[in-house]
Amino acid sequence: MSTVVRIAMVAGEASGDLLGGHLIAALKKELPDAVFYGIGGPRMQGQGMDCWWPMGKLSVMGYWDALKHYREISGIRRQLKKRLLDLRPDIFIGIDAPDFNLGLETSLKAAGVPTVHYVSPSIWAWRGGRIKKIGRAVKRVLALFPMEPPLYEKERIPVTYVGHPLADIIPLETNRQEVREKLALPRDYPIFAMLPGSRRGELESMADTFVQTAKIIRERFLPDAVFVVPLATRETRLQFEAAIYRQHAADIPFRLLFGHAQSAVGASDVALIASGTATLEAALIKRPMVITYKIAKFSYRLMKRMAYLPYVGLPNVLCGRFVVPEILQDDATPENLAEALVKLYEDKDNAKAIEQAFTELHLQLRQNTAEKAARAVIECLR
């Protein structure tokens, strides 16, 4: 191993950037002279990583979106592979983005570069045959969830369970009233967090539905309800504002935030969330939620045919049962979503049961993730 350790990394979206940022910080404690390069986001760049392409280039949603951007993404992967094979880093870490990273990892591993895949692809949910491909691609898998290691051990693929960093970051208890005060929200009104997604494609699919849902809640059920909507970027904020205008909902009390998704959920009684990492955040904050999603019909049919779990939301997958409702695709009408949200708001006993289930999940996932992941990476280096 050379004195300066060269670590190549690729993350494809915000959740991977979070993992990558924490991992780089933990690795720098053990390897202060290490250099990091590849593809990442602002958190990884903030830790000193040299990013060769913007991470947003890899963020696609569903098969249809992937097909539309196929040429550009495969061009980036081709150039990246050539550059990495020329540079021969001491180790390569692919963070999630399996469709992009596994092929890259296979080529690098074949050329003698140790490869680690951080975040197990969803072999527990669908595409189970992919596990053999993962075994050919990587020297080690870092798994976030406790049901994953046995699947790899069965196939004799080296795996380390590291837990989830959000479980380390998010406190075991979040005081609703304190968060409301910080956000200058009313103490005693019904407050709904609405998280329509962090990507443009998600807002295109979900923004109008979320706005219409809020209108129904106010007009038919809870006239004093307030809606807190954290949005990841200026672009997604503009998309949501356009949906408010289209749906003639200027009089609905939407409180739009830049970021602060955890605060929005912490202040809420109930959340409506587009399926993804945000549902796990809400579970760790112990709030009742309705999980929803809409994608291109073709992508949905394909995914439904390949899936073998009855649920798609991470909190339900991890608890192994329907702790919170999922209303997806054609069922995700504003009427259905509004009724489910109001039902959750009114059922205080159910809210307590949900809190208990999510507390157990939180303790299971709290593993000091970044340090565990860093130790596994250093083990692979040596």
Side-chain angles (χ1 to χ4, degrees):
M1 199 165 73
S2 55
T3 8
V4 175
V5 179
R6 296 158 308 138
I7 299 175
M9 301 172 86
V10 169
E13 52 187 67
S15 54
D17 185 40
L18 172 79
L19 291 167
H22 287 151
L23 178 56
I24 293 171
L27 284 166
K28 278 159 72 176
K29 286 179 192 167
E30 304 297 321
L31 305 166
D33 298 326
V35 294
F36 300 86
Y37 48 71
I39 299 176
R43 291 170 188 269
M44 293 164 81
Q45 283 176 294
Q47 290 295 336
M49 178 171 160
D50 179 11
C51 287
W52 297 340
W53 282 273
M55 183 180 75
K57 293 280 185 193
L58 308 188
S59 288
V60 293
M61 189 181 133
Y63 290 106
W64 184 245
D65 206 20
L67 282 171
K68 279 196 292 186
H69 294 94
Y70 175 77
R71 186 173 291 181
E72 184 184 19
I73 291 171
S74 59
I76 290 171
R77 184 163 59 181
R78 200 164 47 247
Q79 291 172 66
L80 178 64
K81 182 167 85 170
K82 185 182 183 311
R83 201 162 170 182
L84 291 177
L85 287 170
D86 289 345
L87 285 169
R88 298 187 67 78
D90 294 296
I91 196 162
F92 174 84
I93 304 165
I95 305 173
D96 210 356
D99 291 317
F100 186 91
N101 278 325
L102 288 175
L104 194 56
E105 287 160 1
T106 305
S107 302
L108 291 168
K109 187 183 178 190
V113 175
T115 54
V116 171
H117 194 83
Y118 191 6
V119 184
S120 163
S122 309
I123 50 170
W124 36 265
W126 58 299
R127 289 173 81 169
R130 194 188 244 184
I131 197 161
K132 300 263 192 296
K133 185 180 179 182
I134 297 166
R136 289 193 297 274
V138 302
K139 186 172 178 179
R140 180 164 294 270
V141 174
L142 306 182
L144 303 189
F145 301 126
M147 74 286 197
E148 294 171 331
L151 301 172
Y152 288 98
E153 285 156 3
K154 195 176 161 191
E155 298 290 331
R156 298 187 180 166
I157 297 167
V159 61
T160 303
Y161 171 52
V162 297
H164 201 291
L166 286 173
D168 297 323
I169 298 161
I170 294 172
L172 283 169
E173 284 181 33
T174 301
N175 185 304
R176 184 182 280 110
Q177 294 304 343
E178 276 178 21
V179 187
R180 286 188 180 190
E181 275 172 37
K182 274 182 198 161
L183 295 178
L185 290 165
R187 283 179 66 87
D188 303 318
Y189 284 28
I191 293 181
F192 293 85
M194 293 192 140
L195 285 74
S198 58
R199 293 178 286 194
R200 284 178 307 167
E202 288 170 321
L203 270 287
E204 278 167 27
S205 300
M206 303 304 305
D208 287 88
T209 302
F210 275 51
V211 172
Q212 288 170 348
T213 301
K215 276 183 80 172
I216 292 170
I217 290 172
R218 283 274 296 193
E219 288 163 9
R220 293 189 207 163
F221 300 105
L222 299 163
D224 52 355
V226 175
F227 304 92
V228 186
V229 189
L231 295 154
T233 63
R234 188 171 298 280
E235 228 172 1
T236 51
R237 184 187 174 111
L238 287 171
Q239 281 178 286
F240 200 85
E241 285 172 342
I244 292 172
Y245 176 76
R246 275 193 304 274
Q247 299 303 327
H248 309 291
D251 58 329
I252 303 291
F254 285 109
R255 176 76 186 279
L256 306 189
L257 307 176
F258 269 123
H260 300 291
Q262 288 176 23
S263 297
V265 174
S268 73
D269 296 292
V270 180
L272 175 63
I273 309 185
S275 183
T277 307
T279 60
L280 181 61
E281 288 182 87
L284 296 171
I285 296 165
K286 327 289 184 307
R287 295 295 182 262
M289 74 189 94
V290 172
I291 296 169
T292 187
Y293 214 62
K294 287 181 187 178
I295 54 175
K297 281 187 166 58
F298 167 75
S299 299
Y300 183 73
R301 278 202 301 272
L302 201 56
M303 288 174 81
K304 200 166 170 57
R305 199 160 54 237
M306 296 170 84
Y308 62 81
L309 283 183
Y311 14 69
V312 300
L314 266 177
N316 292 333
V317 169
L318 293 170
C319 293
R321 61 191 174 90
F322 279 107
V323 178
V324 293
E326 297 180 2
I327 302 176
L328 310 172
Q329 210 63 9
D330 294 341
D331 293 330
T333 63
E335 289 79 10
N336 289 347
L337 295 172
E339 280 176 23
L341 288 163
V342 171
K343 191 177 173 187
L344 275 180
Y345 172 76
E346 289 172 344
D347 192 342
K348 304 304 177 194
D349 289 340
N350 187 30
K352 283 196 180 74
I354 289 169
E355 187 179 344
Q356 180 58 42
F358 288 162
T359 300
E360 288 167 19
L361 175 63
H362 197 153
L363 293 168
Q364 199 177 25
L365 294 179
R366 187 172 262 207
Q367 297 284 328
N368 206 2
T369 296
E371 282 71 17
K372 263 195 171 179
R375 279 201 301 273
V377 168
I378 290 163
E379 209 177 283
C380 286
L381 274 164
R382 290 176 179 157

